[in-house]
Amino acid sequence: MDRSVTNPPSILRPLVEELHARRARAALGGGEAKIAKQHEQGKLTARERLELLIDEGTFTELGIHAGIHFSVRGLEGKEAPADGVITGYGKVDGRMVAVCAYDFTVMAGSMGMTGEIKVTRLRELALSKRIPFIWLLDSAGARIQEAVGSLFAGSGYLFREEVVMSGVIPQIAALMGPCAAGTAYIPGLADFVPMVKGRGSMALAGPHLVRAAVGEEVTQEELGGSRVHCRKSGVGDLEVKDDEECIARIKQYLSYMPQHCEAPLPRTATDDPVDRMDDELLDVLPDSNRKPYDMYEVIRRIVDHGEWFDMKPQWAKTIITCFARFGGRPVGIVANQPKQLGGILDNDSADKAARFVNLCNAYGIPLVFLQDVPGFMVGTRVEAAGIIRHGAKMLYAVANATVPKITVIVRKAYGAGYYVMNGKAYEPDLIVAWPSAEISVMGAEGAVEIVMRRAVEAAEDPAAKRAELVEAYRRIIDVYIAAKNGMIDDVIDPRETRPVIVRALEMAEGKKVERPWKRHGVVPV
């Protein structure tokens, strides 16, 4: 064989060079000038966000060569690298996820036909392979040039599919920029919605459309920024300071979640002893049940390493909903917060708790209830606002939950508040109380006001008589009466709270609850 004969030119080498050149152009998104503008606004680019989120060397991008769909008229000759959205799959802390990141440097991250074909493909992969789905949102919304007209009648698959995925795989929608118009329903339907302060926003209409429709002059931040949605509306779950913290919080949230609803929960090794007993728990409560204290001080002393992950901490502050671990096991904690209006339940706090209970129940996360509840708010304002309807939501969620449920009564357990905080009738796998617990239809003061009012009014010294009757009533609100009659499982030393919860979680790990067959219940709204 004559080795001096040269091989013919390779057909693949120039094609591969062209391929890499195309990839490089797509990776630049809208170009250097647009990237610089993104950085000037304090925002990372879509690809920089993915680099932070996804474990190095694990990301597979789908659809990098996408562009404006061939059927679109009016945008001929315009470039839209990757059609403004980066889609693919990779690992977060070693676990596979699907992620789409909208690129604001390309046509303001607007959602075009090809881009949404890519995202639809990714949703199908995530659902069929049972892996979490993450949206990194920084988008002006639907691309108007493609959406206006009667062809809009064929849109909307995204939201229906998001509903189908709900409770099957974890869904995260991070607001790292604007999310306008109908696309605001992406976070509206997601499980976890972090928002970057001053940059992340969502609204059903942007400022220009609001001005055209109702004549209101408003900024994007005033209309739907993190202050609105994390503190007033409750749509957002967590307000974060920048993109880096947002990514870190997504990772932290996922650490409590299974890959899908039938997968085991992620257990972590811990060197925090399961039988640890904290003496400082004996000094948490004040000397009067009418005085407030901070329930976070209880949580800090009983969970692994004093660490928890708050959900909606700046909204409906009379109740705490957070994730934590006991002995390495993820749990969801629902706790009344006496520091805020005595921990009373109102419309928003009932909604907040119901949402969290449903989230935990969907993914098999055990629930721990810490009760110190004076009941539900009363009066004409809350009645007109639907307190019964909102309270029924929480009642329904707690009754419907079939995950392990442990209840610790710290102090007050009054009226319907006792019910919705997983009282005896709501199938707690363990219900225990501190010696300070008071379980009753209402507090002593309220009972005397209603039942003994005439006796007080007829007394020579009404104030002294009221005090006497209140003290007498307190003697029958005795936690040992409930324990004696088998209505709670035990009265415990507060220092025993952590080991008691850990052992109960072990005991209830294989819990199986049978319910009558039905299509579904009629959930209060």
Side-chain angles (χ1 to χ4, degrees), residues 62-142:
L62 306 176
I64 192 172
H65 304 294
I68 296 169
H69 199 270
F70 78 95
S71 65
V72 174
R73 298 294 173 262
L75 292 175
E76 293 87 351
K78 190 169 182 63
E79 290 293 320
D83 205 29
V85 60
I86 303 161
T87 58
Y89 52 87
K91 292 182 178 180
V92 173
D93 294 333
R95 296 168 56 191
M96 189 63 72
V97 302
V99 59
C100 65
Y102 286 89
D103 186 350
F104 200 80
T105 70
V106 178
M107 299 185 73
S110 57
M111 297 177 173
M113 187 183 300
T114 308
E116 290 315 291
I117 289 172
K118 289 170 54 176
V119 179
T120 299
R121 166 70 169 154
L122 193 65
R123 286 197 305 273
E124 290 169 351
L125 289 175
L127 183 59
S128 62
K129 303 337 178 247
R130 298 295 194 265
I131 58 176
F133 195 100
I134 302 169
W135 282 271
L136 303 182
L137 295 164
D138 191 359
S139 168

Side-chain angles (χ1 to χ4, degrees), residues 62-350:
L62 306 176
I64 192 172
H65 304 294
I68 296 169
H69 199 270
F70 78 95
S71 65
V72 174
R73 298 294 173 262
L75 292 175
E76 293 87 351
K78 190 169 182 63
E79 290 293 320
D83 205 29
V85 60
I86 303 161
T87 58
Y89 52 87
K91 292 182 178 180
V92 173
D93 294 333
R95 296 168 56 191
M96 189 63 72
V97 302
V99 59
C100 65
Y102 286 89
D103 186 350
F104 200 80
T105 70
V106 178
M107 299 185 73
S110 57
M111 297 177 173
M113 187 183 300
T114 308
E116 290 315 291
I117 289 172
K118 289 170 54 176
V119 179
T120 299
R121 166 70 169 154
L122 193 65
R123 286 197 305 273
E124 290 169 351
L125 289 175
L127 183 59
S128 62
K129 303 337 178 247
R130 298 295 194 265
I131 58 176
F133 195 100
I134 302 169
W135 282 271
L136 303 182
L137 295 164
D138 191 359
S139 168
R143 194 171 294 160
I144 299 300
Q145 298 95 324
E146 300 185 29
V148 169
S150 294
L151 291 179
F152 178 76
S155 64
Y157 294 99
L158 158 62
F159 308 119
R160 181 191 63 81
E161 291 172 9
E162 201 174 343
V163 170
V164 171
M165 294 193 299
S166 179
V168 181
I169 55 174
Q171 297 182 77
I172 296 169
L175 275 296
M176 309 180 87
C179 184
T183 53
Y185 285 115
I186 295 174
L189 291 167
D191 303 333
F192 176 52
V193 182
M195 298 185 70
V196 177
K197 186 176 181 179
R199 301 186 194 104
S201 65
M202 53 180 151
L204 292 183
H208 299 300
L209 183 54
V210 168
R211 184 171 61 248
V214 298
E216 185 180 3
E217 293 284 351
V218 66
T219 67
Q220 188 74 40
E221 182 68 17
E222 291 167 339
L223 186 61
S226 60
R227 177 173 288 273
V228 172
H229 289 304
C230 293
R231 305 183 188 202
K232 296 179 181 178
S233 77
V235 179
D237 287 304
L238 206 59
E239 189 176 46
V240 297
K241 67 178 184 295
D242 54 28
D243 286 4
E244 289 84 356
E245 185 186 356
C246 188
I247 297 296
R249 293 296 192 169
I250 290 171
K251 292 183 176 184
Q252 193 176 359
Y253 174 83
L254 282 172
S255 75
Y256 294 98
M257 289 286 128
Q259 281 293 87
H260 55 83
C261 64
E262 296 177 289
L265 294 175
R267 296 276 294 273
T268 59
T270 179
D271 58 3
D272 192 349
V274 296
D275 57 354
R276 173 174 56 80
M277 295 195 288
D278 193 325
D279 280 341
E280 291 184 7
L281 283 168
L282 297 179
D283 300 315
V284 166
L285 299 187
D287 57 4
S288 166
N289 75 345
R290 298 177 70 85
K291 291 182 180 179
Y293 65 95
D294 189 351
M295 185 63 83
Y296 282 115
E297 291 301 309
V298 176
I299 293 170
R300 182 167 65 83
R301 289 171 169 84
I302 62 175
V303 302
D304 288 1
H305 298 292
E307 296 173 351
W308 65 88
F309 184 84
D310 255 320
M311 294 285 282
K312 304 186 190 296
Q314 295 172 302
W315 180 64
K317 292 182 179 181
T318 64
I319 200 158
I320 296 166
T321 52
C322 65
F323 293 108
R325 290 183 178 85
F326 284 92
R329 288 181 172 84
V331 302
I333 295 175
V334 181
N336 307 110
Q337 175 55 299
K339 188 179 177 182
Q340 300 286 338
L341 298 176
I344 200 161
L345 293 167
D346 60 12
N347 295 13
D348 285 346
S349 55

